PDB file of all heavy atoms in Angstrom:
ATOM      1  N   THR J   1      55.706  19.625 -16.203  1.00 98.00           N
ATOM      2  CA  THR J   1      55.195  20.823 -16.745  1.00 98.00           C
ATOM      3  C   THR J   1      54.897  20.680 -18.223  1.00 98.00           C
ATOM      4  O   THR J   1      54.286  21.498 -18.840  1.00 98.00           O
ATOM      5  CB  THR J   1      56.191  22.006 -16.665  1.00 98.00           C
ATOM      6  OG1 THR J   1      57.370  21.627 -17.476  1.00 98.00           O
ATOM      7  CG2 THR J   1      56.642  22.322 -15.225  1.00 98.00           C
ATOM      8  N   GLU J   2      55.210  19.486 -18.814  1.00 98.00           N
ATOM      9  CA  GLU J   2      55.222  19.274 -20.224  1.00 98.00           C
ATOM     10  C   GLU J   2      54.058  18.386 -20.621  1.00 98.00           C
ATOM     11  O   GLU J   2      53.689  17.360 -19.910  1.00 98.00           O
ATOM     12  CB  GLU J   2      56.504  18.703 -20.679  1.00 98.00           C
ATOM     13  CG  GLU J   2      57.606  19.665 -20.413  1.00 98.00           C
ATOM     14  CD  GLU J   2      57.387  21.109 -20.780  1.00 98.00           C
ATOM     15  OE1 GLU J   2      57.231  21.384 -22.032  1.00 98.00           O
ATOM     16  OE2 GLU J   2      57.343  21.994 -19.864  1.00 98.00           O
ATOM     17  N   ASN J   3      53.570  18.556 -21.869  1.00 98.00           N
ATOM     18  CA  ASN J   3      52.641  17.778 -22.493  1.00 98.00           C
ATOM     19  C   ASN J   3      53.069  16.422 -22.913  1.00 98.00           C
ATOM     20  O   ASN J   3      54.318  16.224 -23.179  1.00 98.00           O
ATOM     21  CB  ASN J   3      51.998  18.435 -23.723  1.00 98.00           C
ATOM     22  CG  ASN J   3      51.155  19.697 -23.273  1.00 98.00           C
ATOM     23  OD1 ASN J   3      50.284  19.534 -22.404  1.00 98.00           O
ATOM     24  ND2 ASN J   3      51.554  20.876 -23.793  1.00 98.00           N
ATOM     25  N   TRP J   4      52.190  15.413 -23.102  1.00 98.00           N
ATOM     26  CA  TRP J   4      52.557  14.086 -23.523  1.00 98.00           C
ATOM     27  C   TRP J   4      52.724  14.096 -25.053  1.00 98.00           C
ATOM     28  O   TRP J   4      51.882  13.471 -25.815  1.00 98.00           O
ATOM     29  CB  TRP J   4      51.469  13.141 -22.989  1.00 98.00           C
ATOM     30  CG  TRP J   4      51.483  13.041 -21.593  1.00 98.00           C
ATOM     31  CD1 TRP J   4      50.753  13.702 -20.682  1.00 98.00           C
ATOM     32  CD2 TRP J   4      52.309  12.130 -20.776  1.00 98.00           C
ATOM     33  NE1 TRP J   4      50.988  13.283 -19.335  1.00 98.00           N
ATOM     34  CE2 TRP J   4      52.006  12.366 -19.448  1.00 98.00           C
ATOM     35  CE3 TRP J   4      53.289  11.129 -20.995  1.00 98.00           C
ATOM     36  CZ2 TRP J   4      52.496  11.699 -18.376  1.00 98.00           C
ATOM     37  CZ3 TRP J   4      53.923  10.514 -19.977  1.00 98.00           C
ATOM     38  CH2 TRP J   4      53.508  10.745 -18.588  1.00 98.00           C
ATOM     39  N   LYS J   5      53.797  14.677 -25.585  1.00 98.00           N
ATOM     40  CA  LYS J   5      54.002  14.804 -27.017  1.00 98.00           C
ATOM     41  C   LYS J   5      55.448  14.874 -27.174  1.00 98.00           C
ATOM     42  O   LYS J   5      56.308  15.186 -26.324  1.00 98.00           O
ATOM     43  CB  LYS J   5      53.370  16.065 -27.496  1.00 98.00           C
ATOM     44  CG  LYS J   5      53.618  17.297 -26.844  1.00 98.00           C
ATOM     45  CD  LYS J   5      52.732  18.414 -27.242  1.00 98.00           C
ATOM     46  CE  LYS J   5      52.769  18.689 -28.762  1.00 98.00           C
ATOM     47  NZ  LYS J   5      51.888  19.806 -29.206  1.00 98.00           N
ATOM     48  N   PRO J   6      55.985  14.762 -28.396  1.00 98.00           N
ATOM     49  CA  PRO J   6      57.457  14.805 -28.689  1.00 98.00           C
ATOM     50  C   PRO J   6      58.028  16.130 -28.136  1.00 98.00           C
ATOM     51  O   PRO J   6      59.163  15.990 -27.704  1.00 98.00           O
ATOM     52  CB  PRO J   6      57.555  14.547 -30.161  1.00 98.00           C
ATOM     53  CG  PRO J   6      56.339  13.810 -30.525  1.00 98.00           C
ATOM     54  CD  PRO J   6      55.260  14.284 -29.545  1.00 98.00           C
ATOM     55  N   ALA J   7      57.401  17.169 -28.377  1.00 97.00           N
ATOM     56  CA  ALA J   7      57.936  18.514 -27.996  1.00 97.00           C
ATOM     57  C   ALA J   7      58.075  18.571 -26.541  1.00 97.00           C
ATOM     58  O   ALA J   7      59.018  19.375 -26.038  1.00 97.00           O
ATOM     59  CB  ALA J   7      57.038  19.609 -28.582  1.00 97.00           C
ATOM     60  N   GLY J   8      57.198  17.865 -25.766  1.00 98.00           N
ATOM     61  CA  GLY J   8      57.343  18.005 -24.276  1.00 98.00           C
ATOM     62  C   GLY J   8      57.992  16.813 -23.637  1.00 98.00           C
ATOM     63  O   GLY J   8      59.255  16.878 -23.597  1.00 98.00           O
ATOM     64  N   VAL J   9      57.250  15.862 -23.280  1.00 98.00           N
ATOM     65  CA  VAL J   9      58.024  14.704 -22.482  1.00 98.00           C
ATOM     66  C   VAL J   9      58.996  13.989 -23.304  1.00 98.00           C
ATOM     67  O   VAL J   9      59.882  13.241 -22.964  1.00 98.00           O
ATOM     68  CB  VAL J   9      56.928  13.777 -21.924  1.00 98.00           C
ATOM     69  CG1 VAL J   9      56.110  14.443 -20.855  1.00 98.00           C
ATOM     70  CG2 VAL J   9      56.118  13.046 -22.923  1.00 98.00           C
ATOM     71  N   GLY J  10      58.893  14.037 -24.744  1.00 98.00           N
ATOM     72  CA  GLY J  10      59.727  13.449 -25.570  1.00 98.00           C
ATOM     73  C   GLY J  10      61.156  14.106 -25.760  1.00 98.00           C
ATOM     74  O   GLY J  10      62.088  13.483 -26.415  1.00 98.00           O
ATOM     75  N   GLY J  11      61.234  15.279 -25.287  1.00 97.00           N
ATOM     76  CA  GLY J  11      62.574  15.964 -25.238  1.00 97.00           C
ATOM     77  C   GLY J  11      62.892  16.548 -26.563  1.00 97.00           C
ATOM     78  O   GLY J  11      64.121  16.781 -26.792  1.00 97.00           O
ATOM     79  N   ALA J  12      61.938  16.753 -27.501  1.00 97.00           N
ATOM     80  CA  ALA J  12      62.277  17.233 -28.874  1.00 97.00           C
ATOM     81  C   ALA J  12      62.116  18.762 -28.973  1.00 97.00           C
ATOM     82  O   ALA J  12      62.303  19.264 -30.130  1.00 97.00           O
ATOM     83  CB  ALA J  12      61.361  16.531 -29.890  1.00 97.00           C
ATOM     84  N   SER J  13      61.908  19.503 -27.944  1.00 97.00           N
ATOM     85  CA  SER J  13      61.729  20.938 -28.076  1.00 97.00           C
ATOM     86  C   SER J  13      61.811  21.766 -26.833  1.00 97.00           C
ATOM     87  O   SER J  13      62.806  22.519 -26.681  1.00 97.00           O
ATOM     88  CB  SER J  13      60.381  21.375 -28.642  1.00 97.00           C
ATOM     89  OG  SER J  13      60.140  22.647 -28.866  1.00 97.00           O
ATOM     90  N   SER J  14      60.928  21.555 -25.865  1.00 98.00           N
ATOM     91  CA  SER J  14      60.746  22.523 -24.826  1.00 98.00           C
ATOM     92  C   SER J  14      61.558  22.286 -23.534  1.00 98.00           C
ATOM     93  O   SER J  14      61.810  21.145 -23.251  1.00 98.00           O
ATOM     94  CB  SER J  14      59.263  22.512 -24.425  1.00 98.00           C
ATOM     95  OG  SER J  14      58.390  22.771 -25.516  1.00 98.00           O
ATOM     96  N   ARG J  15      61.971  23.406 -22.899  1.00 98.00           N
ATOM     97  CA  ARG J  15      62.488  23.383 -21.610  1.00 98.00           C
ATOM     98  C   ARG J  15      61.375  23.088 -20.679  1.00 98.00           C
ATOM     99  O   ARG J  15      60.371  23.855 -20.516  1.00 98.00           O
ATOM    100  CB  ARG J  15      63.160  24.644 -21.291  1.00 98.00           C
ATOM    101  CG  ARG J  15      63.434  24.764 -19.750  1.00 98.00           C
ATOM    102  CD  ARG J  15      64.459  23.651 -19.200  1.00 98.00           C
ATOM    103  NE  ARG J  15      65.931  24.100 -19.480  1.00 98.00           N
ATOM    104  CZ  ARG J  15      66.732  23.175 -19.775  1.00 98.00           C
ATOM    105  NH1 ARG J  15      66.481  21.963 -19.924  1.00 98.00           N
ATOM    106  NH2 ARG J  15      68.063  23.635 -19.988  1.00 98.00           N
ATOM    107  N   GLY J  16      61.459  22.004 -19.815  1.00 98.00           N
ATOM    108  CA  GLY J  16      60.390  21.651 -18.869  1.00 98.00           C
ATOM    109  C   GLY J  16      61.067  21.151 -17.710  1.00 98.00           C
ATOM    110  O   GLY J  16      62.158  20.701 -17.709  1.00 98.00           O
ATOM    111  N   TRP J  17      60.294  20.998 -16.534  1.00 98.00           N
ATOM    112  CA  TRP J  17      60.720  20.425 -15.335  1.00 98.00           C
ATOM    113  C   TRP J  17      59.746  19.368 -14.970  1.00 98.00           C
ATOM    114  O   TRP J  17      58.609  19.307 -15.381  1.00 98.00           O
ATOM    115  CB  TRP J  17      60.710  21.447 -14.228  1.00 98.00           C
ATOM    116  CG  TRP J  17      61.613  22.646 -14.336  1.00 98.00           C
ATOM    117  CD1 TRP J  17      62.453  22.914 -15.442  1.00 98.00           C
ATOM    118  CD2 TRP J  17      61.904  23.645 -13.363  1.00 98.00           C
ATOM    119  NE1 TRP J  17      63.082  24.069 -15.195  1.00 98.00           N
ATOM    120  CE2 TRP J  17      62.886  24.552 -13.897  1.00 98.00           C
ATOM    121  CE3 TRP J  17      61.343  23.943 -12.100  1.00 98.00           C
ATOM    122  CZ2 TRP J  17      63.275  25.706 -13.271  1.00 98.00           C
ATOM    123  CZ3 TRP J  17      61.741  25.062 -11.426  1.00 98.00           C
ATOM    124  CH2 TRP J  17      62.812  25.946 -11.972  1.00 98.00           C
ATOM    125  N   GLY J  18      60.274  18.332 -14.215  1.00 98.00           N
ATOM    126  CA  GLY J  18      59.481  17.252 -13.747  1.00 98.00           C
ATOM    127  C   GLY J  18      60.109  16.533 -12.568  1.00 98.00           C
ATOM    128  O   GLY J  18      61.264  16.701 -12.232  1.00 98.00           O
ATOM    129  N   VAL J  19      59.252  15.623 -11.927  1.00 99.00           N
ATOM    130  CA  VAL J  19      59.686  14.841 -10.745  1.00 99.00           C
ATOM    131  C   VAL J  19      58.958  13.551 -10.737  1.00 99.00           C
ATOM    132  O   VAL J  19      57.726  13.501 -11.200  1.00 99.00           O
ATOM    133  CB  VAL J  19      59.482  15.665  -9.556  1.00 99.00           C
ATOM    134  CG1 VAL J  19      57.960  15.873  -9.320  1.00 99.00           C
ATOM    135  CG2 VAL J  19      60.127  15.028  -8.395  1.00 99.00           C
ATOM    136  N   VAL J  20      59.543  12.532 -10.238  1.00 98.00           N
ATOM    137  CA  VAL J  20      58.918  11.196  -9.967  1.00 98.00           C
ATOM    138  C   VAL J  20      59.067  10.895  -8.528  1.00 98.00           C
ATOM    139  O   VAL J  20      60.185  11.057  -7.945  1.00 98.00           O
ATOM    140  CB  VAL J  20      59.585  10.140 -10.778  1.00 98.00           C
ATOM    141  CG1 VAL J  20      58.895   8.783 -10.506  1.00 98.00           C
ATOM    142  CG2 VAL J  20      59.559  10.353 -12.308  1.00 98.00           C
ATOM    143  N   THR J  21      57.985  10.506  -7.917  1.00 98.00           N
ATOM    144  CA  THR J  21      57.966  10.320  -6.414  1.00 98.00           C
ATOM    145  C   THR J  21      57.065   9.045  -6.079  1.00 98.00           C
ATOM    146  O   THR J  21      56.169   8.776  -6.833  1.00 98.00           O
ATOM    147  CB  THR J  21      57.382  11.515  -5.616  1.00 98.00           C
ATOM    148  OG1 THR J  21      57.387  11.219  -4.196  1.00 98.00           O
ATOM    149  CG2 THR J  21      55.962  11.744  -6.115  1.00 98.00           C
ATOM    150  N   ASP J  22      57.611   8.382  -5.118  1.00 98.00           N
ATOM    151  CA  ASP J  22      56.813   7.236  -4.581  1.00 98.00           C
ATOM    152  C   ASP J  22      56.322   7.492  -3.262  1.00 98.00           C
ATOM    153  O   ASP J  22      56.014   6.535  -2.493  1.00 98.00           O
ATOM    154  CB  ASP J  22      57.673   5.976  -4.578  1.00 98.00           C
ATOM    155  CG  ASP J  22      58.904   6.079  -3.766  1.00 98.00           C
ATOM    156  OD1 ASP J  22      59.057   7.139  -3.044  1.00 98.00           O
ATOM    157  OD2 ASP J  22      59.700   5.008  -3.686  1.00 98.00           O
ATOM    158  N   GLN J  23      56.190   8.749  -2.730  1.00 98.00           N
ATOM    159  CA  GLN J  23      55.613   9.074  -1.431  1.00 98.00           C
ATOM    160  C   GLN J  23      54.138   8.635  -1.491  1.00 98.00           C
ATOM    161  O   GLN J  23      53.297   9.223  -2.183  1.00 98.00           O
ATOM    162  CB  GLN J  23      55.793  10.472  -1.111  1.00 98.00           C
ATOM    163  CG  GLN J  23      57.302  10.855  -1.002  1.00 98.00           C
ATOM    164  CD  GLN J  23      57.582  12.439  -1.134  1.00 98.00           C
ATOM    165  OE1 GLN J  23      56.724  13.106  -1.460  1.00 98.00           O
ATOM    166  NE2 GLN J  23      58.696  12.707  -0.589  1.00 98.00           N
ATOM    167  N   PRO J  24      53.727   7.786  -0.548  1.00 98.00           N
ATOM    168  CA  PRO J  24      52.416   7.199  -0.684  1.00 98.00           C
ATOM    169  C   PRO J  24      51.287   8.154  -0.651  1.00 98.00           C
ATOM    170  O   PRO J  24      50.217   8.102  -1.411  1.00 98.00           O
ATOM    171  CB  PRO J  24      52.257   6.244   0.476  1.00 98.00           C
ATOM    172  CG  PRO J  24      53.724   5.765   0.820  1.00 98.00           C
ATOM    173  CD  PRO J  24      54.500   7.058   0.530  1.00 98.00           C
ATOM    174  N   ARG J  25      51.306   9.130   0.241  1.00 98.00           N
ATOM    175  CA  ARG J  25      50.230  10.180   0.319  1.00 98.00           C
ATOM    176  C   ARG J  25      50.142  10.929  -0.932  1.00 98.00           C
ATOM    177  O   ARG J  25      49.007  11.327  -1.342  1.00 98.00           O
ATOM    178  CB  ARG J  25      50.461  11.060   1.553  1.00 98.00           C
ATOM    179  CG  ARG J  25      50.107  10.377   2.937  1.00 98.00           C
ATOM    180  CD  ARG J  25      50.366  11.355   4.005  1.00 98.00           C
ATOM    181  NE  ARG J  25      49.621  12.539   3.947  1.00 98.00           N
ATOM    182  CZ  ARG J  25      48.228  12.636   4.278  1.00 98.00           C
ATOM    183  NH1 ARG J  25      47.689  11.565   4.664  1.00 98.00           N
ATOM    184  NH2 ARG J  25      47.645  13.756   4.091  1.00 98.00           N
ATOM    185  N   VAL J  26      51.266  11.363  -1.490  1.00 98.00           N
ATOM    186  CA  VAL J  26      51.251  12.082  -2.731  1.00 98.00           C
ATOM    187  C   VAL J  26      50.639  11.322  -3.844  1.00 98.00           C
ATOM    188  O   VAL J  26      49.704  11.717  -4.699  1.00 98.00           O
ATOM    189  CB  VAL J  26      52.632  12.615  -3.178  1.00 98.00           C
ATOM    190  CG1 VAL J  26      52.626  13.398  -4.398  1.00 98.00           C
ATOM    191  CG2 VAL J  26      53.157  13.553  -2.064  1.00 98.00           C
ATOM    192  N   VAL J  27      51.066   9.970  -3.940  1.00 98.00           N
ATOM    193  CA  VAL J  27      50.501   9.129  -5.030  1.00 98.00           C
ATOM    194  C   VAL J  27      49.008   8.921  -4.910  1.00 98.00           C
ATOM    195  O   VAL J  27      48.324   9.017  -5.844  1.00 98.00           O
ATOM    196  CB  VAL J  27      51.326   7.782  -5.058  1.00 98.00           C
ATOM    197  CG1 VAL J  27      50.716   6.819  -5.994  1.00 98.00           C
ATOM    198  CG2 VAL J  27      52.743   7.987  -5.265  1.00 98.00           C
ATOM    199  N   ASP J  28      48.563   8.599  -3.629  1.00 98.00           N
ATOM    200  CA  ASP J  28      47.169   8.441  -3.388  1.00 98.00           C
ATOM    201  C   ASP J  28      46.408   9.689  -3.662  1.00 98.00           C
ATOM    202  O   ASP J  28      45.250   9.663  -4.156  1.00 98.00           O
ATOM    203  CB  ASP J  28      47.004   8.033  -1.962  1.00 98.00           C
ATOM    204  CG  ASP J  28      47.478   6.624  -1.563  1.00 98.00           C
ATOM    205  OD1 ASP J  28      47.833   5.844  -2.558  1.00 98.00           O
ATOM    206  OD2 ASP J  28      47.637   6.376  -0.348  1.00 98.00           O
ATOM    207  N   GLY J  29      46.856  10.825  -3.429  1.00 98.00           N
ATOM    208  CA  GLY J  29      46.295  12.057  -3.671  1.00 98.00           C
ATOM    209  C   GLY J  29      46.037  12.225  -5.244  1.00 98.00           C
ATOM    210  O   GLY J  29      45.006  12.705  -5.670  1.00 98.00           O
ATOM    211  N   LEU J  30      47.079  11.841  -5.930  1.00 98.00           N
ATOM    212  CA  LEU J  30      46.991  12.009  -7.380  1.00 98.00           C
ATOM    213  C   LEU J  30      45.928  11.051  -7.959  1.00 98.00           C
ATOM    214  O   LEU J  30      45.179  11.207  -8.868  1.00 98.00           O
ATOM    215  CB  LEU J  30      48.308  11.809  -8.071  1.00 98.00           C
ATOM    216  CG  LEU J  30      48.596  12.499  -9.445  1.00 98.00           C
ATOM    217  CD1 LEU J  30      48.048  13.996  -9.419  1.00 98.00           C
ATOM    218  CD2 LEU J  30      50.012  12.474  -9.735  1.00 98.00           C
ATOM    219  N   VAL J  31      46.022   9.839  -7.418  1.00 98.00           N
ATOM    220  CA  VAL J  31      45.007   8.738  -7.801  1.00 98.00           C
ATOM    221  C   VAL J  31      43.565   9.403  -7.502  1.00 98.00           C
ATOM    222  O   VAL J  31      42.699   9.142  -8.363  1.00 98.00           O
ATOM    223  CB  VAL J  31      45.307   7.423  -7.020  1.00 98.00           C
ATOM    224  CG1 VAL J  31      44.068   6.494  -7.290  1.00 98.00           C
ATOM    225  CG2 VAL J  31      46.569   6.828  -7.522  1.00 98.00           C
ATOM    226  N   ALA J  32      43.304   9.892  -6.331  1.00 97.00           N
ATOM    227  CA  ALA J  32      42.035  10.372  -6.014  1.00 97.00           C
ATOM    228  C   ALA J  32      41.545  11.514  -6.952  1.00 97.00           C
ATOM    229  O   ALA J  32      40.446  11.605  -7.353  1.00 97.00           O
ATOM    230  CB  ALA J  32      42.062  10.986  -4.555  1.00 97.00           C
ATOM    231  N   THR J  33      42.540  12.296  -7.324  1.00 98.00           N
ATOM    232  CA  THR J  33      42.292  13.447  -8.341  1.00 98.00           C
ATOM    233  C   THR J  33      41.848  12.861  -9.708  1.00 98.00           C
ATOM    234  O   THR J  33      40.918  13.211 -10.315  1.00 98.00           O
ATOM    235  CB  THR J  33      43.515  14.365  -8.467  1.00 98.00           C
ATOM    236  OG1 THR J  33      43.787  14.917  -7.196  1.00 98.00           O
ATOM    237  CG2 THR J  33      43.133  15.441  -9.490  1.00 98.00           C
ATOM    238  N   PHE J  34      42.634  11.779 -10.069  1.00 98.00           N
ATOM    239  CA  PHE J  34      42.252  11.095 -11.413  1.00 98.00           C
ATOM    240  C   PHE J  34      40.886  10.604 -11.349  1.00 98.00           C
ATOM    241  O   PHE J  34      40.134  10.722 -12.248  1.00 98.00           O
ATOM    242  CB  PHE J  34      43.292  10.128 -11.779  1.00 98.00           C
ATOM    243  CG  PHE J  34      43.060   9.446 -13.166  1.00 98.00           C
ATOM    244  CD1 PHE J  34      43.748   9.966 -14.236  1.00 98.00           C
ATOM    245  CD2 PHE J  34      42.226   8.356 -13.181  1.00 98.00           C
ATOM    246  CE1 PHE J  34      43.529   9.326 -15.473  1.00 98.00           C
ATOM    247  CE2 PHE J  34      41.917   7.803 -14.376  1.00 98.00           C
ATOM    248  CZ  PHE J  34      42.656   8.249 -15.603  1.00 98.00           C
ATOM    249  N   ARG J  35      40.635   9.890 -10.269  1.00 97.00           N
ATOM    250  CA  ARG J  35      39.361   9.130 -10.224  1.00 97.00           C
ATOM    251  C   ARG J  35      38.175  10.160 -10.166  1.00 97.00           C
ATOM    252  O   ARG J  35      37.112   9.956 -10.747  1.00 97.00           O
ATOM    253  CB  ARG J  35      39.289   8.214  -9.034  1.00 97.00           C
ATOM    254  CG  ARG J  35      40.225   6.977  -9.188  1.00 97.00           C
ATOM    255  CD  ARG J  35      40.273   6.112  -7.908  1.00 97.00           C
ATOM    256  NE  ARG J  35      41.015   4.989  -8.097  1.00 97.00           N
ATOM    257  CZ  ARG J  35      41.395   4.200  -7.135  1.00 97.00           C
ATOM    258  NH1 ARG J  35      41.128   4.500  -5.887  1.00 97.00           N
ATOM    259  NH2 ARG J  35      42.112   3.069  -7.425  1.00 97.00           N
ATOM    260  N   ALA J  36      38.424  11.298  -9.491  1.00 95.00           N
ATOM    261  CA  ALA J  36      37.334  12.320  -9.446  1.00 95.00           C
ATOM    262  C   ALA J  36      37.119  12.909 -10.813  1.00 95.00           C
ATOM    263  O   ALA J  36      35.926  13.177 -11.146  1.00 95.00           O
ATOM    264  CB  ALA J  36      37.734  13.431  -8.399  1.00 95.00           C
ATOM    265  N   ASP J  37      38.145  13.126 -11.531  1.00 97.00           N
ATOM    266  CA  ASP J  37      38.025  13.681 -12.885  1.00 97.00           C
ATOM    267  C   ASP J  37      37.545  12.791 -13.946  1.00 97.00           C
ATOM    268  O   ASP J  37      36.678  13.085 -14.759  1.00 97.00           O
ATOM    269  CB  ASP J  37      39.324  14.373 -13.406  1.00 97.00           C
ATOM    270  CG  ASP J  37      39.671  15.527 -12.450  1.00 97.00           C
ATOM    271  OD1 ASP J  37      38.867  15.999 -11.743  1.00 97.00           O
ATOM    272  OD2 ASP J  37      40.959  15.975 -12.497  1.00 97.00           O
ATOM    273  N   ALA J  38      38.006  11.509 -13.853  1.00 97.00           N
ATOM    274  CA  ALA J  38      37.522  10.494 -14.884  1.00 97.00           C
ATOM    275  C   ALA J  38      36.105   9.874 -14.534  1.00 97.00           C
ATOM    276  O   ALA J  38      35.471   9.441 -15.358  1.00 97.00           O
ATOM    277  CB  ALA J  38      38.576   9.336 -14.902  1.00 97.00           C
ATOM    278  N   GLY J  39      35.773  10.129 -13.355  1.00 93.00           N
ATOM    279  CA  GLY J  39      34.458   9.621 -12.911  1.00 93.00           C
ATOM    280  C   GLY J  39      33.290  10.570 -13.015  1.00 93.00           C
ATOM    281  O   GLY J  39      32.095  10.092 -12.905  1.00 93.00           O
ATOM    282  N   TRP J  40      33.555  11.780 -13.316  1.00 91.00           N
ATOM    283  CA  TRP J  40      32.360  12.794 -13.444  1.00 91.00           C
ATOM    284  C   TRP J  40      31.836  12.573 -14.883  1.00 91.00           C
ATOM    285  O   TRP J  40      32.495  12.202 -15.860  1.00 91.00           O
ATOM    286  CB  TRP J  40      32.909  14.206 -13.231  1.00 91.00           C
ATOM    287  CG  TRP J  40      31.856  15.244 -13.260  1.00 91.00           C
ATOM    288  CD1 TRP J  40      31.799  16.243 -14.084  1.00 91.00           C
ATOM    289  CD2 TRP J  40      30.703  15.436 -12.471  1.00 91.00           C
ATOM    290  NE1 TRP J  40      30.737  17.035 -13.884  1.00 91.00           N
ATOM    291  CE2 TRP J  40      30.030  16.465 -12.848  1.00 91.00           C
ATOM    292  CE3 TRP J  40      30.128  14.650 -11.433  1.00 91.00           C
ATOM    293  CZ2 TRP J  40      28.825  16.932 -12.303  1.00 91.00           C
ATOM    294  CZ3 TRP J  40      28.987  15.023 -10.825  1.00 91.00           C
ATOM    295  CH2 TRP J  40      28.298  16.140 -11.307  1.00 91.00           C
ATOM    296  N   ARG J  41      30.626  13.170 -15.142  1.00 88.00           N
ATOM    297  CA  ARG J  41      29.946  12.898 -16.396  1.00 88.00           C
ATOM    298  C   ARG J  41      30.495  13.873 -17.542  1.00 88.00           C
ATOM    299  O   ARG J  41      30.093  13.641 -18.687  1.00 88.00           O
ATOM    300  CB  ARG J  41      28.482  13.231 -16.244  1.00 88.00           C
ATOM    301  CG  ARG J  41      28.079  14.604 -15.612  1.00 88.00           C
ATOM    302  CD  ARG J  41      26.681  14.561 -15.079  1.00 88.00           C
ATOM    303  NE  ARG J  41      26.364  15.888 -14.446  1.00 88.00           N
ATOM    304  CZ  ARG J  41      25.623  16.878 -15.071  1.00 88.00           C
ATOM    305  NH1 ARG J  41      25.235  16.720 -16.174  1.00 88.00           N
ATOM    306  NH2 ARG J  41      25.422  17.959 -14.319  1.00 88.00           N
ATOM    307  N   ASP J  42      31.481  14.743 -17.238  1.00 93.00           N
ATOM    308  CA  ASP J  42      32.058  15.476 -18.374  1.00 93.00           C
ATOM    309  C   ASP J  42      33.295  14.673 -19.045  1.00 93.00           C
ATOM    310  O   ASP J  42      33.888  15.142 -19.940  1.00 93.00           O
ATOM    311  CB  ASP J  42      32.586  16.847 -17.906  1.00 93.00           C
ATOM    312  CG  ASP J  42      33.599  16.789 -16.759  1.00 93.00           C
ATOM    313  OD1 ASP J  42      33.825  15.743 -16.233  1.00 93.00           O
ATOM    314  OD2 ASP J  42      34.120  17.924 -16.491  1.00 93.00           O
ATOM    315  N   ALA J  43      33.614  13.519 -18.377  1.00 96.00           N
ATOM    316  CA  ALA J  43      34.762  12.659 -18.965  1.00 96.00           C
ATOM    317  C   ALA J  43      33.984  11.563 -19.832  1.00 96.00           C
ATOM    318  O   ALA J  43      33.435  10.563 -19.331  1.00 96.00           O
ATOM    319  CB  ALA J  43      35.414  11.991 -17.857  1.00 96.00           C
ATOM    320  N   VAL J  44      34.020  11.922 -21.153  1.00 96.00           N
ATOM    321  CA  VAL J  44      33.212  11.136 -22.098  1.00 96.00           C
ATOM    322  C   VAL J  44      34.073  10.001 -22.772  1.00 96.00           C
ATOM    323  O   VAL J  44      35.247  10.350 -23.153  1.00 96.00           O
ATOM    324  CB  VAL J  44      32.576  12.012 -23.196  1.00 96.00           C
ATOM    325  CG1 VAL J  44      31.837  11.261 -24.105  1.00 96.00           C
ATOM    326  CG2 VAL J  44      31.924  13.213 -22.557  1.00 96.00           C
ATOM    327  N   PRO J  45      33.688   8.733 -22.736  1.00 97.00           N
ATOM    328  CA  PRO J  45      34.396   7.764 -23.498  1.00 97.00           C
ATOM    329  C   PRO J  45      34.674   8.170 -24.858  1.00 97.00           C
ATOM    330  O   PRO J  45      33.995   8.730 -25.539  1.00 97.00           O
ATOM    331  CB  PRO J  45      33.464   6.541 -23.370  1.00 97.00           C
ATOM    332  CG  PRO J  45      32.615   6.799 -22.234  1.00 97.00           C
ATOM    333  CD  PRO J  45      32.327   8.251 -22.131  1.00 97.00           C
ATOM    334  N   TRP J  46      35.948   7.802 -25.235  1.00 97.00           N
ATOM    335  CA  TRP J  46      36.565   8.309 -26.505  1.00 97.00           C
ATOM    336  C   TRP J  46      35.652   7.879 -27.718  1.00 97.00           C
ATOM    337  O   TRP J  46      35.503   8.616 -28.661  1.00 97.00           O
ATOM    338  CB  TRP J  46      37.945   7.812 -26.744  1.00 97.00           C
ATOM    339  CG  TRP J  46      38.513   8.226 -28.068  1.00 97.00           C
ATOM    340  CD1 TRP J  46      38.861   7.353 -28.990  1.00 97.00           C
ATOM    341  CD2 TRP J  46      38.729   9.572 -28.475  1.00 97.00           C
ATOM    342  NE1 TRP J  46      39.342   8.155 -30.132  1.00 97.00           N
ATOM    343  CE2 TRP J  46      39.391   9.368 -29.760  1.00 97.00           C
ATOM    344  CE3 TRP J  46      38.671  10.817 -27.873  1.00 97.00           C
ATOM    345  CZ2 TRP J  46      39.660  10.576 -30.440  1.00 97.00           C
ATOM    346  CZ3 TRP J  46      38.993  11.867 -28.660  1.00 97.00           C
ATOM    347  CH2 TRP J  46      39.571  11.769 -29.912  1.00 97.00           C
TER     348      TRP J  46
END
């Protein structure tokens, strides 16, 4: 639920929840989501 910042995943402020899983279908689904989002033309190189 937390942002990639000290206040979030760094544990310096916010109450957040999270989970790590190695279930293949879930991992593959997240990979597909990333590729779909990073591969569209609104994902501009930095």
Side-chain angles (χ1 to χ4, degrees):
T1 65
E2 300 313 295
N3 292 304
W4 294 91
K5 59 189 303 181
V9 299
S13 175
S14 301
R15 166 65 83 215
W17 295 6
V19 67
V20 180
T21 178
D22 62 0
Q23 296 164 342
R25 286 182 56 82
V26 175
V27 175
D28 290 347
L30 206 47
V31 170
T33 299
F34 182 94
R35 289 175 175 167
D37 291 345
W40 181 244
R41 55 198 174 101
D42 60 352
V44 182
W46 176 248

